[in-house]
Amino acid sequence: MPETVLQVDDLKTYFFTEAGVVRAVDGVSFSLTKGKPLGLVGESGSGKTVTALSVLGVVPRPGKIVSGKILFEGENLLEKTENEMRGFRGKRIGYVSQDPNSSLDPLFTVGNQLSEVVTTHEKMSKEAAREKVVDLLRLVRIAEPETRMRAYPHELSGGMRQRIAIARALASEPDLLIADEPTTNLDVTIQAQVLELLRALQRELDMSLILITHDMGIIAEMAEEVVVLYAGRVAEVARTAEIFAAPRHPYTAALLQAVPRVDRKRPLVPIGGNIPNLITPPSGCRFHPRCAYMIDRCVSEIPPLEAIGGGREVSCHRWKELELRGSS
Amino acid sequence: MNSKETQYTRRSAGQWAVAWRRFKKNKAGLAGLAIVASFAVLAIYGLLLDPVPARSFGCLYQGCTNLPPFVDSAHPLGTENSGIDVWNEIIHGSAGDLYVGIGATLISVVIGLLVGAAAGYRSGVSGAVLLGLTQIFFVLPVLVIILLFAKIFLFLVAQGLALSLIVLTLGIFGWPLFAFIARGEILRIRELEFVQAAKSLGASGSRTLFRHIVPNLLSPIIVLSSLAVAANIITEVVISFLGFGDPTTSTWGLIIQEGFDHIDSSWWVAFFPGIAVVICVLGFNLLGDGLSDALNPRLRE
Amino acid sequence: MEGAGIEGVVLMPATLLEVKDLVKYFPVYERGILIKKKVGDVHAVDGVSFDVAKGETMGLVGESGCGKTTAGKAILDLIPKDSGQVLFEGKDVHETFEHGSNEDRKAMRRGMQMVFQNPYGSLDPRMTVFDIISEAFIIHRHVPKSEWKERVYTLLKLVGLEEYHAERYPHEFSGGQRQRISIARALATEPKFIVADEPVSSLDVSVRAQILTLLQSLQQRETISFLYISHDLSSVRQISQRVIVMYLGKIMEYADVDRIFDHPLNPYTVALLSAVPVPDLERKVNKILLAGDVPSPINPPPGCRFNPRCPYATDICKQAEPPLRQLESDHLVACHHAEKLM
Amino acid sequence: MGSLLNYIIRRILFAIPVFLAVSIITFLVTNAAGDPVQIVRLGIRNLNPAQLKAIQDYFHVNEPLYTRYFLWLADLLRGNLGQSLYSGSVAGKVVPWIGSTLELQIPAVLLALAIGIPIGIYSAKRQYSKSDIAVTTTAIFGISMPTFWLGINAILIFSLYLRWLPSFGAISPYPPWWWGNIYTDQLAHIIMPLSVLTFVSLAAIVRLIRSSMLETLRQDFVLAARASGISDFKVTYKHALKNAVTPVVTVVGLTFGTLLGGAPALETTFGWPGLGYEFVLSATILDLPVVLGITMIISAMVLAANIVTDLVYALMDPRVRL
């Protein structure tokens, strides 16, 4: 029986803005097997980043976790105090954020920022911390770590900065690494390097990994399991191979059909409409205004996230009757 | 298109209407607007309707000099030792100070926009010259120079015009900040893609400048203007207080100066006009803050 | 494709745009005590030549800093070029804008338009959609005022928007809708050629396909030629007929879309293609991981610009710059070792 | 560090034309009436012919305008600020005034920073809370108040009504001393002007720090630092603070300029014997050499403050290209 490292249960995180309540995460549930890479797919406004920040307990104001459970190795993180949470953040759960250009403090050297994290989680001498930092930089394959330590973030390339952000997240060998779109702002060739590094580190350190992305291609390469989010809710959960072969949710299928491929040209089937506004989200199934298979029930009734066997879950009234095409 | 039918409107609200809607939600900004409007009403009343002329010594003959506040309903805020009514001076002073504040700001805005636009649109050498100029004005102890200027010129110019002279001086010394901001904004807007889009449509330089760049430049200038009016009023008060102002036209600074000379016997003469200054300046500052929030939605989410 | 028949060349469509040896450098300065010293140039576009046929979409791909956007803007003379020539329908673009008559200049502007990358910066926030689209009519006077409204509505429908959108302001639209407005504005001049600079890169995945299919249908129905600039190889494959791969200001490879994607002959193209993740588990390719970062385009490496990262690099690559050679019909490659990949 | 030296030299070289331009403007203002003697005569009515001749010679009225400027400039650069029309050399008189002014200004800026930064941070971290609203309200009143008027009220309350503190000067002219001896006497004199000045600059600094901090707290690296387990205190006071203060440094430099510019009103209110008060006294009696000298000294001080500010900024932000 594989061990579960993280279990998110009916998580709701809302943002209380002047314009109204933004239901950014509205009942998200999934779990993550220890030592496995999980992909969290979604577009802007799907709630993927907010989910990650909720797990870490660093949802920025005016956001608030309204209800739900986040079990990390059996402990409910939502019952922890701020002080206790610091024993998880960075120590047992590492986080790599989206934009390497802004995730490092521009006014301090890379070495300073890394040793700060190292000493936060473990009491050690300055010398030891320095050595640890050098080791970390080696771990993320940075050449000449001693020189790079003295550099300021603006003196490094985007790819290099993202490696440093990864090194920071790995400072105290966390059990779980959350990487939030770690390659979105990087060039393709650099993206390939960073993804390769993440994959290698995940295996080397036997970490659990949550990789957040909007790119189904990255999912195919990196993840073993996928959670598809749409407008703050889970649309579908499945093993990667299954989701590409036979998606069960119309949104997943549409996403696979709407994305152009580099290996061959094929007719694109666009998804109509736009990402919904989460202050006044569509009633019933949130995908219904854009769904080709919409029926009346989809407007009136929220589809539950049903387990459909084989570890798969889907949130669609019509999953049984629909025959959806996969990536082929 | 999120539920198109419900959002159907023939003409939707324009940028300014949207800004106004945002502004309306800002209580502090609205308070600022109300304050500014009240002073404007007071000033107009003083100029056109008030039966008691400014700096009227009428009381002197009725023996009500040095009257403390809140004792005589004819002189609610008391009188000064030569019989000038404090409340009446506040009314007439609002016309004087609004004239200084707004007049000087208008002069600064016009000069600043012209210079800033020239420098921003051409950059290069003229931009460098402008930068140097603004640097000079940042270093000049402007208030000190203005004092000197006012002092010397008050001797030379007919005294009736002296307040206008102060307006002119403040305006002339106040433009560099506007030029600086205008230039920076133009340089920023010029790089925005819609300006390039206009160019690729074939729009002429002047069309691009007046149809695309200037309208987008206005919001920071409006905000800055409101704050500049506040600053100019304070400067006027300081000039008058130090005895470098125009002794023949009513301003708040003048009456405060007169009050300060007799501070130990009649405190109210300096105190109440000072309150008027604080409220009026506060009004313009609040208005400026409110406008900046309303016109720059990025800061407020 | 009119004209093709007259020339008697049926299979080769007529050339609309011709770019010859285009060069654009940006000087880089360092501050001295008193004056700025020039320390080098960003070789943004360094001798680029290609042509675009009538009704064709030419893809221009490359990573950041390869000069693709600069090339697009220099072609439209939105930024001045340093040397080279751009011919639009046989007429020199720069020459026309610099010395041509007012009518010639306007006609040239009408013929070539641009769709920008950022849907938030490319629309004037203080104008309604109607004003934005009809600005072309004001400038070029090619539509009588009585027909403006009708024409704006037609354009809005063409790009998939509704009539009532005309009275709204840009801030009321989503990114994808703004990009549609941007396209409608470009179409308002009735252009023959549009430079589309990363038109979908800032859009959500589900909306990208909408804009891509819109561009495709425009190209087919309106016979407009596109220069489609992007770093996203997948969308380039989807939309282009021919493709140029750029690296640090130089063309690395230039060929028919299928040929370049299926049989690339430049190691850089090969690496680039293999780096793109494909949403398909059955397709496993050997990744070619390139070492190092994209070098700074200031004073790029001598010889072949790709040599420090190239797995095939030999001494000659460090010394001689490879010329753009024709290896197959319609397939040009700048690589000393291209034959090894054939 | 060669580039730092380079930067300092460049900054100082750039200051020279600015200083010259300031001197030209100042000189032109005093000569706007044609020649300065006419102005002097407006202030001092009964000059005997010998005095008039001396003053005319002093201002070189028979020379053309530009010659007069260069003669004045040459003296200025040699450190000779001229002679007061009443008594003594300007340079000799001015030195103690500079001391008095700085005695007030420097502690005020430092105190305002020391108090303003924590308050600004506190306020930003609790945006829209009651304490934040209290702070921002007080601050906007603070910047809306003419300094001297606040001073007048302080005098009304603490000197005239409560009689706790002296209202005039930097020291009592003769005993009895306030609170016992000559040192406590000076302390008693400085308390009020210093508090007033501090309060007003405090208001400006709190507003700046608050808005800068709000901007900084929204940045990704703050979130990333928190997500890597660094304590809230350290995130705030190490990362956010340095990032928030860096842009404020420039503004504080400029504030120092405005403060000096505001010195005349404040010092006049409290009869504080600094540059500002003496400027007002001299300008009132049209002692032009003194007025000119003080103007140039204040300009030079502001210029120096600006250079120091730029340097501090450059040292704090590694992204500034020296």
Side-chain angles (χ1 to χ4, degrees):
Chain A
M1 188 67 198
E3 205 180 324
T4 298
V5 62
L6 179 77
Q7 191 179 342
V8 175
D9 223 358
D10 200 25
L11 178 70
K12 289 185 182 174
T13 306
Y14 295 171
F15 286 77
F16 299 87
T17 68
E18 268 175 60
V21 181
V22 181
R23 295 173 163 76
V25 171
D26 203 7
V28 163
S29 309
F30 64 92
S31 62
L32 168 61
T33 314
K34 201 175 172 79
K36 294 282 182 208
L38 172 96
L40 209 54
V41 198
E43 299 176 84
S44 61
S46 65
K48 51 195 195 306
T49 296
V50 179
T51 304
L53 298 181
S54 304
V55 170
L56 288 155
V58 290
V59 179
R61 290 192 317 157
K64 238 189 182 151
I65 300 177
V66 179
S67 67
K69 250 191 256 172
I70 297 173
L71 298 173
F72 179 73
E73 313 223 299
E75 296 178 82
N76 189 352
L77 297 185
L78 298 187
E79 285 164 3
K80 301 285 171 200
T81 63
E82 174 64 22
N83 243 341
E84 289 169 332
M85 270 314 284
R86 242 181 286 133
F88 289 91
R89 284 203 285 268
K91 189 163 176 63
R92 298 176 65 191
I93 309 175
Y95 179 65
V96 180
S97 68
Q98 190 174 64
D99 189 356
N101 303 322
S102 58
S103 67
L104 296 169
D105 188 333
L107 302 187
F108 293 91
T109 61
V110 161
N112 183 320
Q113 295 186 57
L114 284 175
S115 61
E116 184 184 9
V117 177
V118 167
T119 50
T120 299
H121 297 299
E122 203 180 330
K123 285 246 174 302
M124 58 171 85
S125 68
K126 260 201 160 143
E127 255 321 293
R130 220 190 78 91
E131 263 168 46
K132 178 93 197 255
V133 170
V134 171
D135 287 346
L136 279 170
L137 291 175
R138 286 223 177 84
L139 184 70
V140 294
R141 281 68 159 168
I142 283 181
E144 301 171 55
E146 280 90 354
T147 335
R148 296 295 183 205
M149 276 178 71
R150 287 192 293 274
Y152 285 96
H154 73 278
E155 295 164 334
L156 302 173
S157 70
M160 198 86 90
R161 272 181 283 205
Q162 199 58 301
R163 282 163 195 272
I164 290 179
I166 293 172
R168 174 171 62 181
L170 298 179
S172 63
E173 289 152 33
D175 306 313
L176 168 64
L177 179 68
I178 304 179
D180 185 359
E181 307 235 20
T183 59
T184 304
N185 288 313
L186 302 177
D187 277 317
V188 204
T189 54
I190 310 300
Q191 161 171 299
Q193 293 171 3
V194 170
L195 290 180
E196 180 54 41
L197 174 69
L198 276 176
R199 189 170 22 214
L201 288 172
Q202 190 256 326
R203 286 185 196 144
E204 265 170 51
L205 306 175
D206 193 26
M207 277 186 305
S208 316
L209 173 70
I210 295 183
L211 183 73
I212 296 174
T213 178
H214 61 259
D215 186 338
M216 278 301 212
I218 294 179
I219 291 293
E221 288 195 356
M222 299 287 296
E224 286 186 24
E225 275 186 79
V226 195
V227 176
V228 181
L229 292 180
Y230 184 79
R233 293 214 185 117
V234 175
E236 186 168 5
V237 181
R239 275 207 292 283
T240 308
E242 290 167 343
I243 222 161
F244 283 99
R248 291 291 190 195
H249 196 284
Y251 173 64
T252 320
L255 210 50
L256 289 171
Q257 294 300 318
V259 184
R261 293 175 59 151
V262 75
D263 55 337
R264 65 190 136 92
K265 190 171 169 171
R266 57 156 184 196
L268 286 188
V269 189
I271 309 176
N274 290 297
I275 308 282
N277 165 355
L278 291 180
I279 294 175
T280 48
S283 61
C285 171
R286 287 192 175 168
F287 187 58
H288 85 254
R290 306 174 71 187
C291 184
Y293 307 99
M294 192 258 285
I295 54 174
D296 288 348
R297 197 169 156 214
C298 304
V299 185
S300 57
E301 205 181 310
I302 301 174
L305 188 62
E306 282 177 72
I308 60 170
R312 293 192 73 165
E313 289 170 85
V314 65
S315 154
C316 174
H317 293 304
R318 303 184 65 191
W319 69 268
K320 265 183 206 150
E321 45 181 310
L322 295 178
E323 292 209 8
L324 298 167
R325 280 182 62 205
S327 66
S328 49
Chain B
M1 284 150 270
N2 17 0
S3 60
K4 30 194 154 188
E5 259 58 65
T6 52
Q7 298 204 346
Y8 183 94
T9 40
R10 257 330 287 168
R11 179 170 263 284
S12 62
Q15 280 286 308
W16 298 110
V18 170
W20 169 239
R21 222 182 290 147
R22 245 190 323 248
F23 183 81
K24 271 197 297 191
K25 280 195 224 147
N26 183 334
K27 280 183 212 132
L30 279 181
L33 185 64
I35 291 172
V36 169
S38 322
F39 276 103
V41 169
L42 216 54
I44 291 168
Y45 172 77
L47 283 178
L48 303 176
L49 303 168
D50 189 7
V52 187
R55 313 203 59 68
S56 160
F57 299 91
C59 300
L60 193 55
Y61 311 111
Q62 294 157 21
C64 50
T65 58
N66 244 346
L67 205 62
F70 315 123
V71 288
D72 184 347
S73 61
H75 307 290
L77 299 180
T79 59
E80 178 245 23
N81 72 337
S82 52
I84 291 176
D85 178 79
V86 174
W87 170 237
N88 198 45
E89 277 310 288
I90 290 180
I91 294 176
H92 287 281
S94 31
D97 274 276
L98 286 185
Y99 172 49
V100 175
I102 296 173
T105 304
L106 282 180
I107 296 174
S108 304
V109 168
V110 170
I111 305 177
L113 273 184
L114 287 176
V115 178
Y121 214 62
R122 305 225 159 263
S123 64
V125 176
S126 53
V129 169
L130 180 81
L131 269 179
L133 262 181
T134 48
Q135 192 71 33
I136 292 166
F137 278 83
F138 281 139
V139 169
L140 261 186
V142 173
L143 184 66
V144 173
I145 298 277
I146 288 176
L147 287 178
L148 194 58
F149 205 70
K151 183 76 195 174
I152 289 166
F153 271 76
L154 280 179
F155 281 102
L156 304 170
V157 179
Q159 295 210 317
L161 286 174
L163 197 63
S164 299
L165 187 75
I166 288 175
V167 170
L168 203 64
T169 320
L170 283 178
I172 289 173
F173 282 98
W175 65 266
L177 187 59
F178 286 94
F180 190 72
I181 301 286
R183 174 177 173 272
E185 277 295 296
I186 288 177
L187 287 180
R188 185 183 68 83
I189 297 169
R190 216 174 50 162
E191 293 307 312
L192 290 179
E193 285 184 331
F194 67 78
V195 174
Q196 295 208 341
K199 192 177 174 193
S200 88
L201 273 180
S204 61
S206 63
R207 186 182 168 81
T208 312
L209 182 63
F210 290 109
R211 193 77 179 81
H212 295 284
I213 294 180
V214 170
N216 283 287
L217 174 71
L218 286 180
S219 48
I221 295 293
I222 289 171
V223 172
L224 198 60
S225 301
S226 186
L227 301 176
V229 172
N232 281 332
I233 290 177
I234 288 202
T235 311
E236 187 286 323
V237 173
V238 168
I239 293 174
S240 297
F241 167 71
L242 293 176
F244 292 67
D246 175 358
T248 61
T249 316
S250 284
T251 61
W252 294 327
L254 185 62
I255 187 82
I256 294 177
Q257 184 225 349
E258 288 165 352
F260 187 55
D261 288 343
H262 307 282
I263 189 86
D264 37 3
S265 57
S266 41
W267 55 269
W268 54 89
V269 184
F271 181 77
F272 289 109
I275 294 278
V277 174
V278 174
I279 295 177
C280 185
V281 169
L282 182 72
F284 278 103
N285 279 334
L286 287 174
L287 182 65
D289 279 6
L291 285 173
S292 128
D293 281 355
L295 295 171
N296 188 357
R298 193 179 64 89
L299 293 173
R300 225 181 149 77
E301 270 162 64
Chain C
M1 274 157 237
E2 347 102 76
I6 299 164
E7 283 163 39
V9 189
V10 183
L11 291 176
M12 285 283 282
T15 300
L16 181 72
L17 182 92
E18 217 175 323
V19 179
K20 290 180 184 166
D21 207 20
L22 188 67
V23 175
K24 174 70 192 175
Y25 290 176
F26 294 102
V28 182
Y29 298 102
E30 186 174 84
R31 295 173 113 176
I33 286 188
L34 273 182
I35 40 161
K36 291 192 286 188
K37 275 185 302 200
K38 192 178 153 189
V39 288
D41 284 304
V42 170
H43 292 229
V45 179
D46 205 354
V48 161
S49 308
F50 63 91
D51 58 83
V52 180
K54 278 192 179 148
E56 175 190 46
T57 297
M58 174 66 85
L60 182 55
V61 266
E63 296 179 281
S64 57
C66 75
K68 52 192 192 301
T69 295
T70 308
K73 288 184 176 168
I75 286 169
L76 296 185
D77 206 45
L78 292 179
I79 50 173
K81 60 179 164 47
D82 289 337
S83 68
Q85 202 182 20
V86 180
L87 298 174
F88 179 68
E89 299 186 302
K91 275 183 259 170
D92 188 302
V93 172
H94 185 71
E95 200 54 35
T96 309
F97 286 133
E98 205 74 346
H99 307 293
S101 70
N102 212 8
E103 286 86 72
D104 285 350
R105 288 211 306 261
K106 286 203 163 169
M108 178 91 55
R109 276 280 172 242
R110 263 191 74 186
M112 310 192 297
Q113 284 299 306
M114 182 148 185
V115 174
F116 295 87
Q117 172 176 12
N118 176 358
Y120 292 87
S122 61
L123 302 174
D124 189 335
R126 306 221 178 272
M127 289 167 90
T128 61
V129 170
F130 185 90
D131 292 338
I132 288 170
I133 296 176
S134 62
E135 187 169 24
F137 309 150
I138 299 174
I139 293 167
H140 295 293
R141 303 198 185 91
H142 59 292
V143 176
K145 197 156 187 181
S146 56
E147 290 172 25
W148 284 11
K149 204 171 184 178
E150 211 41 53
R151 193 63 72 90
V152 169
Y153 290 167
T154 318
L155 283 166
L156 284 175
K157 278 209 195 92
L158 188 65
V159 297
L161 291 171
E162 309 283 330
E163 282 182 13
Y164 66 87
H165 286 134
E167 300 303 329
R168 297 202 171 170
Y169 287 83
H171 68 90
E172 298 171 74
F173 294 93
S174 67
Q177 287 173 318
R178 282 163 183 244
Q179 215 52 313
R180 290 173 193 271
I181 298 166
S182 223
I183 293 169
R185 169 179 58 195
L187 293 175
T189 65
E190 297 162 6
K192 296 170 184 145
F193 173 61
I194 293 179
V195 174
D197 184 11
E198 306 253 15
V200 298
S201 68
S202 57
L203 301 180
D204 271 307
V205 187
S206 68
V207 181
R208 273 183 204 176
Q210 299 171 4
I211 301 299
L212 283 178
T213 40
L214 171 63
L215 291 176
Q216 253 171 332
S217 75
L218 286 173
Q219 184 223 328
Q220 280 152 16
R221 281 195 315 208
E222 315 283 317
T223 343
I224 299 172
S225 305
F226 283 93
L227 179 66
Y228 180 81
I229 299 172
S230 181
H231 68 268
D232 172 22
L233 289 123
S234 317
S235 70
V236 169
R237 164 147 230 185
Q238 190 68 28
I239 198 169
S240 323
Q241 275 93 51
R242 283 190 294 162
V243 176
I244 296 165
V245 177
M246 269 179 88
Y247 187 75
L248 293 181
K250 286 275 185 194
I251 292 185
M252 301 301 277
E253 192 163 3
Y254 172 19
D256 185 80
V257 63
D258 288 328
R259 203 162 300 179
I260 218 166
F261 277 87
D262 294 335
H263 307 286
L265 291 180
N266 190 308
Y268 175 63
T269 318
V270 176
L272 204 56
L273 286 173
S274 86
V276 181
V278 177
D280 193 340
L281 287 179
E282 278 138 45
R283 200 188 119 96
K284 288 278 179 216
V285 279
N286 284 334
K287 288 240 158 193
I288 300 165
L289 278 184
L290 290 180
D293 288 305
V294 181
S296 149
I298 307 169
N299 307 332
C304 173
R305 290 184 183 186
F306 184 54
N307 86 66
R309 302 172 77 197
C310 182
Y312 297 86
T314 56
D315 282 346
I316 184 171
C317 303
K318 289 179 190 132
Q319 288 144 14
E321 197 168 309
L324 196 60
R325 313 179 273 154
Q326 179 152 6
L327 279 188
E328 302 168 319
S329 67
D330 277 341
H331 195 158
L332 282 71
V333 189
C335 175
H336 293 298
H337 304 299
E339 282 82 359
K340 290 181 191 158
L341 291 167
M342 278 184 94
Chain D
M1 284 289 114
S3 60
L4 184 64
L5 189 66
N6 196 328
Y7 181 78
I8 298 174
I9 294 172
R10 195 167 67 234
R11 202 60 196 75
I12 291 172
L13 285 179
F14 185 65
I16 292 172
V18 171
F19 186 77
L20 285 180
V22 170
S23 74
I24 291 175
I25 293 174
T26 315
F27 180 80
L28 283 181
V29 168
T30 48
N31 284 269
D35 76 65
V37 177
Q38 291 181 5
I39 299 171
V40 171
R41 291 183 70 175
L42 289 168
I44 315 168
R45 307 263 163 175
N46 329 312
L47 287 171
N48 64 38
Q51 285 170 322
L52 182 64
K53 177 76 175 54
I55 293 173
Q56 281 173 337
D57 285 350
Y58 177 83
F59 285 113
H60 309 285
V61 286
N62 296 322
E63 307 287 341
L65 187 66
Y66 62 90
T67 316
R68 294 201 316 252
Y69 169 70
F70 283 115
L71 285 170
W72 174 69
L73 183 69
D75 277 346
L76 192 65
L77 295 179
R78 278 198 299 267
N80 176 7
L81 294 174
Q83 297 291 320
S84 160
L85 296 184
Y86 293 86
S87 69
S89 85
V90 177
K93 295 170 75 135
V94 143
V95 172
W97 300 343
I98 298 177
S100 293
T101 294
L102 291 181
E103 201 178 306
L104 209 52
Q105 300 283 348
I106 290 178
V109 171
L110 294 180
L111 269 175
L113 283 174
I115 306 171
I117 290 175
I119 294 183
I121 293 174
Y122 178 87
S123 199
K125 289 208 72 172
R126 290 167 186 71
Q127 197 189 5
Y128 301 137
S129 71
K130 283 209 180 90
S131 42
D132 175 43
I133 289 168
V135 167
T136 47
T137 312
T138 316
I140 198 162
F141 267 100
I143 63 158
S144 301
M145 236 176 259
T147 320
F148 74 87
W149 186 75
L150 190 62
I152 291 176
N153 286 314
I155 290 174
L156 273 176
I157 298 169
F158 296 104
S159 299
L160 298 176
Y161 182 68
L162 296 171
R163 302 196 177 276
W164 285 353
L165 293 165
S167 68
F168 193 89
I171 187 164
S172 302
Y174 40 77
W177 309 118
W178 279 81
W179 305 341
N181 65 44
I182 195 161
Y183 302 106
T184 50
D185 184 81
Q186 291 182 27
L187 184 66
H189 277 87
I190 205 171
I191 286 179
M192 239 182 347
L194 183 59
S195 314
V196 167
L197 193 57
T198 306
F199 178 75
V200 174
S201 5
L202 187 65
I205 285 173
V206 164
R207 274 168 64 88
L208 280 170
I209 292 280
R210 179 179 176 275
S211 65
S212 177
M213 193 73 185
L214 281 176
E215 192 85 354
T216 310
L217 285 175
R218 260 197 287 267
Q219 308 227 342
D220 268 5
F221 66 81
V222 169
L223 186 74
R226 285 186 61 206
S228 50
I230 297 168
S231 68
D232 192 47
F233 184 83
K234 211 166 176 190
V235 173
T236 308
Y237 287 91
K238 180 178 170 188
H239 295 285
L241 179 61
K242 193 171 179 192
N243 277 276
V245 165
T246 308
V248 172
V249 167
T250 333
V251 190
V252 170
L254 291 179
T255 316
F256 190 66
T258 5
L259 282 180
L260 277 178
L266 181 86
E267 292 179 1
T268 305
T269 314
F270 289 103
W272 188 262
L275 286 169
Y277 184 43
E278 301 297 340
F279 174 88
V280 172
L281 291 181
S282 309
T284 309
I285 55 171
L286 289 170
D287 190 349
L288 279 189
V290 179
V291 165
L292 272 171
I294 293 178
T295 310
M296 290 319 296
I297 283 176
I298 295 185
S299 305
M301 283 162 71
V302 177
L303 198 56
N306 282 3
I307 294 177
V308 171
T309 314
D310 283 0
L311 266 182
V312 171
Y313 183 73
L315 288 175
M316 279 177 79
D317 192 340
R319 288 165 299 182
V320 173
R321 279 184 57 200
L322 291 169

